[in-house]
Amino acid sequence: MNVFITFYNIDSDRNLFISSGFFFVRHLFEGIDLFFSQTATQEDIKTSICDINEKIDRIYCTINYSFEAKLMQDIVDDRWVVGGPEAIEIIREGTSVLLSKGTVIGESFEEYHGLSPSTTFTYYFKDLVAEINPRVVSYPCSIGSGCYWNKCSFCSFHKYSDSRGYYVKSNVTEIINNLLPLAVPSQVHTCISSCSPQVLEQILAATVKDGIILSEFIRADQSILDLIHNSRQMSFKNHLALLGIETLSQALSDRLNKGASVANYIRLVESILSRGGYVALYVMTWLPFITEESAQESMRNLKKIEKIAKKYPRERFSIINSGEVLWPTETIAKKMGSGLPTYKSFKHLYGVKIGSGSKIEEYNRKINQSLLNSSIPLKGDPITLTYGS
């Protein structure tokens, strides 16, 4: 008997978020599904497993966050096989007690079992959705992994990704065509860190059914803009484009090694909105190398974006505050901080301390105030006007 454990979260607005699970492989194995809220206790999990009256051979579990690993560390035994994004972090860090109790894997479920990659999406969570009856359900439909650019100075993915690096499933168009609406609206994340022009073309060739909003990360490379411009029939209806602009200043963007111009990101915003799509523009705050000139440039570009956004329904565009920028190593943090003190944040990430009352704090605060004053909806972490301790 196999047991499959998937975590979920339901927020105060009754949005249901289902974490990484067994969406492409659940149809391949017999077994029992257990779903646990992220507020569950160790005793809840232990009791549910003990209540199964059959002999359990394997307990498969996917985890996204470190608190999920801590939640299960006292109940894992040699029957457990733990995978998912946090499992990769555990392998990289090499310090988790899970490594000595169960089996922690960094490869896919199919690779672990020696199977060919599956492109069949399985709605094994339909009963959970019916039971909770949320306002909206969000779940991943992972068409691949990684980023074809993979050079941003703040990104740690390339520091620990395996030989696959950037990969995409076959039959992307068919996978998306086969996604089904549920009883409540669905927000479906394709999970790939950035869609190449070839992958984006496959995504947009699919028909996203009403009742589903498909989200995908897109870079503002010239090749992406050319693809959209030269294929005017392409519609972004039922698509949410996630654009990691990170900063509204070209000078700051170059320091982050984004490899795509801020001007192109602004063009991409309008291209997608004009084709019926939704856009979420991700920005970082509290950059330690900001200048007065880059702050002024950021505020000018925010005005340009605001002018574009006003032409379309308010609900179709938002800015997401990603929070303070963090760095994958202390060496990079020191380099980016230009002499400012650094600190260990969490896991392997490092931050740079910005002095209270400093010019750097002042310039960052001006940008944050402009974001708060704009007519664009702000989501993500709350925008703050003073640098935290």
Side-chain angles (χ1 to χ4, degrees):
M1 166 64 68
N2 298 310
V3 174
F4 297 85
I5 293 178
T6 304
F7 286 97
Y8 69 89
N9 180 49
I10 181 82
D11 67 14
S12 57
D13 293 324
R14 296 204 57 75
N15 297 313
L16 172 63
F17 301 89
I18 302 177
S19 294
S20 293
F22 307 95
F23 303 98
F24 282 98
V25 296
R26 187 61 189 87
H27 63 286
L28 300 175
F29 290 81
E30 295 292 330
I32 293 175
D33 292 297
L34 296 178
F35 296 93
F36 293 106
S37 166
Q38 291 173 346
T39 60
T41 64
Q42 282 188 353
E43 194 59 35
D44 293 331
I45 298 173
K46 189 174 181 180
T47 298
S48 295
I49 293 173
C50 289
D51 285 345
I52 298 173
N53 294 323
E54 300 181 49
K55 179 180 180 297
I56 298 174
D57 300 305
R58 279 285 182 266
I59 301 174
Y60 297 104
C61 180
T62 58
I63 52 177
N64 275 42
Y65 307 105
S66 54
F67 72 83
E68 294 171 345
K70 291 179 180 178
L71 185 63
M72 66 182 64
Q73 64 184 13
D74 294 331
I75 58 177
V76 168
D77 54 39
D78 58 8
R79 300 172 299 175
W80 287 66
V81 178
V82 180
E86 182 61 22
I88 296 174
E89 293 278 1
I90 287 173
I91 292 169
R92 179 177 184 269
E93 291 291 309
T95 57
S96 173
V97 296
L98 295 183
L99 291 168
S100 60
K101 289 186 174 184
T103 301
V104 181
I105 63 173
E107 68 265 42
S108 70
F109 189 92
E110 299 103 309
E111 288 172 318
Y112 176 72
H113 285 282
L115 302 171
S116 299
S118 169
T119 57
T120 300
F121 191 86
T122 307
Y123 286 89
Y124 74 100
F125 55 94
K126 285 179 68 174
D127 289 346
L128 175 70
V129 175
E131 176 187 342
I132 294 178
N133 190 28
R135 186 181 65 86
V136 176
V137 58
S138 296
Y139 60 87
C141 173
S142 179
I143 63 169
S145 177
C147 172
Y148 65 90
W149 171 248
N150 211 23
K151 297 176 185 176
C152 295
S153 58
F154 56 85
C155 180
S156 61
F157 183 83
H158 58 283
K159 300 288 183 184
Y160 61 88
S161 58
D162 60 22
S163 59
R164 293 176 305 170
Y166 180 78
Y167 81 98
V168 181
K169 286 181 178 287
S170 62
N171 302 325
V172 168
T173 301
E174 182 182 350
I175 291 170
I176 296 170
N177 278 336
N178 289 332
L179 291 176
L180 301 174
L182 297 172
V184 298
S186 302
Q187 295 179 350
V188 185
H189 198 318
T190 54
C191 297
I192 200 165
S193 300
S194 59
C195 296
S196 67
Q198 296 78 13
V199 173
L200 181 60
E201 190 169 19
Q202 292 179 65
I203 290 173
L204 293 177
T207 300
V208 181
K209 298 177 179 65
D210 290 341
I212 298 173
I213 297 295
L214 189 75
S215 61
E216 55 271 339
F217 275 104
I218 305 175
R219 286 176 51 81
D221 295 322
Q222 188 61 49
S223 55
I224 293 285
L225 290 168
D226 290 344
L227 169 70
I228 296 171
H229 176 76
N230 294 328
S231 304
R232 293 187 181 277
Q233 78 279 10
M234 281 190 170
S235 170
F236 277 86
K237 181 177 181 289
N238 295 337
H239 285 266
L240 167 61
L242 310 174
L243 310 183
I245 193 173
E246 319 304 355
T247 172
L248 303 178
S249 158
Q250 189 59 52
L252 300 181
S253 181
D254 292 342
R255 189 74 185 270
L256 293 172
N257 201 28
K258 282 296 297 179
S261 73
V262 170
N264 272 0
Y265 269 104
I266 295 174
R267 293 187 188 102
L268 187 55
V269 167
E270 180 142 41
S271 291
I272 294 169
L273 289 175
S274 67
R275 288 165 171 78
Y278 296 75
V279 175
L281 195 66
Y282 285 74
V283 299
M284 293 175 167
T285 55
W286 301 110
L287 294 166
F289 41 76
I290 194 170
T291 63
E292 182 176 10
E293 291 77 16
S294 58
Q296 293 296 328
E297 179 191 5
S298 297
M299 291 184 283
R300 289 195 299 272
N301 281 327
L302 179 60
K303 289 293 185 184
K304 294 179 183 178
I305 294 169
E306 191 173 17
K307 186 177 180 180
I308 293 170
K310 284 180 178 178
K311 296 191 290 184
Y312 302 96
R314 179 178 169 84
E315 68 273 10
R316 286 184 32 215
F317 181 70
S318 62
I319 289 179
I320 311 292
N321 175 25
S322 299
E324 177 190 358
V325 60
L326 297 173
W327 313 97
T329 68
E330 188 174 17
T331 299
I332 294 176
K334 287 180 177 179
K335 179 181 177 181
M336 293 297 174
S338 301
L340 293 174
T342 62
Y343 67 95
K344 182 71 177 291
S345 178
F346 68 100
K347 295 183 181 177
H348 57 279
L349 299 174
Y350 289 82
V352 175
K353 294 182 179 179
I354 295 174
S356 176
S358 67
K359 288 293 185 182
I360 294 176
E361 184 187 52
E362 176 188 343
Y363 301 146
N364 276 288
R365 184 175 65 248
K366 285 182 177 179
I367 295 175
N368 291 354
Q369 185 67 67
S370 296
L371 289 168
L372 288 170
N373 292 344
S374 80
S375 60
I376 301 171
L378 296 176
K379 299 181 181 179
D381 295 339
I383 295 283
T384 60
L385 298 178
T386 54
Y387 183 76
S389 60

